[in-house]
């Protein structure tokens, strides 16, 4: 970036460009997700197991792509200073619940879904509720890949005057080996996007990887 918004492009023009690109990707992909959802949910559709599995994969990957485009477009708007994150009181319990709802088609629910560990009592913080929800949903989607014999787990705890959200691959039997911090694309390209989104919201994040390939992402949310 040369320091000028959108490399000399007027803010309104850049904003329209970001919105247009986002729409042109999200709209058809959302239609693909909707069609696959209809087909897999139609009791009259005669689908063999292989076809049903392929449709479910299309559906899950469509949800992932839509979410990733929304993360990237939000990050672009922050980077080019087209708008700024809001600062208001938020309830992190509502934020986490909303993020889970957004990605439920990929991460599942109940015993097959994420293990969410939230403390009792008030979970108040300050931030942009819509974009925090988007970013936490991105954490779930990023770690929903390569689960193997592990379960997606989220824990929220106090960290100084703020909060720490940790999402990781928890071993169902035994324990993962020690996690070591990685930088850059060590956690995968999509992790780079979601961590940059958190950074633009004033939150600091780190990625850790175990020798078995399990991953853990920690994000500090300031009060």
């Amino acid at each position: 970036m040369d320091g000028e918004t959108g490399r000399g492009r007027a803010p309104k023009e850049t904003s329209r460009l970001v919105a247009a690109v986002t729409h042109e990707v999200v709209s058809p992909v959302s239609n693909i997700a909707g069609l696959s959802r209809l087909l897999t949910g139609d009791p009259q559709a005669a689908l063999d197991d292989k076809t049903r599995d392929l449709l479910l994969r299309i559906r899950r990957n469509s949800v992932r792509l839509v979410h990733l485009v929304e993360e990237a477009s939000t990050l672009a708007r922050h980077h080019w200073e087209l708008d700024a994150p809001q600062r208001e009181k938020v309830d992190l319990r509502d934020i986490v619940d909303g993020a889970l709802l957004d990605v439920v088609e990929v991460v599942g629910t109940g015993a097959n879904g994420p293990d969410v560990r939230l403390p009792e009592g008030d979970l108040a913080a300050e931030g942009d509720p819509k974009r925090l929800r988007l970013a936490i949903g991105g954490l779930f989607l990023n770690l929903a890949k390569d689960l193997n014999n592990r379960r997606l787990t989220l824990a929220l705890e106090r960290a100084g005057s703020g909060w720490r959200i940790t999402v990781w691959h928890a071993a169902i039997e035994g324990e993962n080996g020690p996690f070591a911090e990685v930088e850059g694309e060590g956690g995968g390209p999509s992790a780079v996007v979601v961590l940059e989104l958190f950074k633009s919201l004033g939150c600091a994040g780190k990625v850790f990887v175990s020798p078995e390939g399990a991953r853990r992402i920690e994000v500090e949310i300031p009060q």
Side-chain angles (χ1 to χ4, degrees):
M1 246 335 132
D2 59 6
E4 298 182 13
T5 301
R7 294 186 182 276
R9 188 186 295 273
K12 287 185 178 180
E13 292 180 18
T14 305
S15 183
R16 284 196 295 268
L17 175 62
V18 171
V21 171
T22 302
H23 173 77
E24 289 303 313
V25 175
V26 168
S27 183
V29 175
S30 295
N31 288 338
I32 292 170
L35 178 59
S36 60
R37 190 179 299 115
L38 285 174
L39 287 172
T40 54
D42 185 354
Q44 297 183 342
L47 303 175
D48 58 38
D49 289 344
K50 184 176 180 180
T51 302
R52 186 173 297 277
D53 180 63
L54 288 172
L55 285 171
L56 287 172
R57 289 188 185 188
I58 291 170
R59 180 171 155 185
R60 288 192 294 265
N61 285 328
S62 298
V63 171
R64 282 193 176 102
L65 180 56
V66 167
H67 204 281
L68 182 59
V69 170
E70 290 176 348
E71 289 175 41
S73 65
T74 300
L75 180 58
R77 295 182 67 81
H78 292 176
H79 184 69
W80 286 329
E81 299 180 354
L82 301 176
D83 58 26
Q86 301 299 311
R87 293 289 296 177
E88 60 184 80
K89 294 289 185 182
V90 297
D91 183 338
L92 290 177
R93 193 182 308 278
D94 290 342
I95 299 292
V96 171
D97 287 346
L100 279 169
L101 185 63
D102 294 339
V103 300
V104 66
E105 289 185 273
V106 175
V107 303
T109 59
N112 295 321
D115 176 13
V116 178
R117 306 171 186 177
L118 303 181
E120 298 293 331
D122 183 32
L123 304 183
E126 284 193 359
D128 188 312
K130 181 178 179 181
R131 291 166 186 181
L132 277 175
R133 174 171 169 168
L134 178 69
I136 291 173
L139 290 180
F140 281 123
L141 290 179
N142 183 264
L143 292 183
K145 301 175 291 183
D146 308 319
L147 278 176
N148 297 323
N149 244 352
R150 299 179 284 256
R151 186 174 184 187
L152 185 58
T153 305
L154 176 144
L156 179 68
E157 60 185 344
R158 274 287 181 187
S161 61
W163 296 94
R164 179 184 298 114
I165 289 181
T166 306
V167 185
W168 74 99
H169 293 146
I172 296 175
E173 295 182 2
E175 295 183 0
N176 291 315
F179 285 92
E181 185 177 354
V182 296
E183 297 181 357
E185 294 194 3
S190 58
V192 173
V193 175
V194 73
L195 287 179
E196 282 297 317
L197 177 55
F198 271 113
K199 184 177 178 181
S200 75
L201 295 171
C203 306
K206 298 178 181 179
V207 181
F208 302 81
V209 177
S210 77
E212 299 85 6
R215 287 178 292 137
R216 184 178 84 217
I217 300 178
E218 295 180 2
V219 176
E220 305 278 343
I221 301 178
Q223 183 65 35

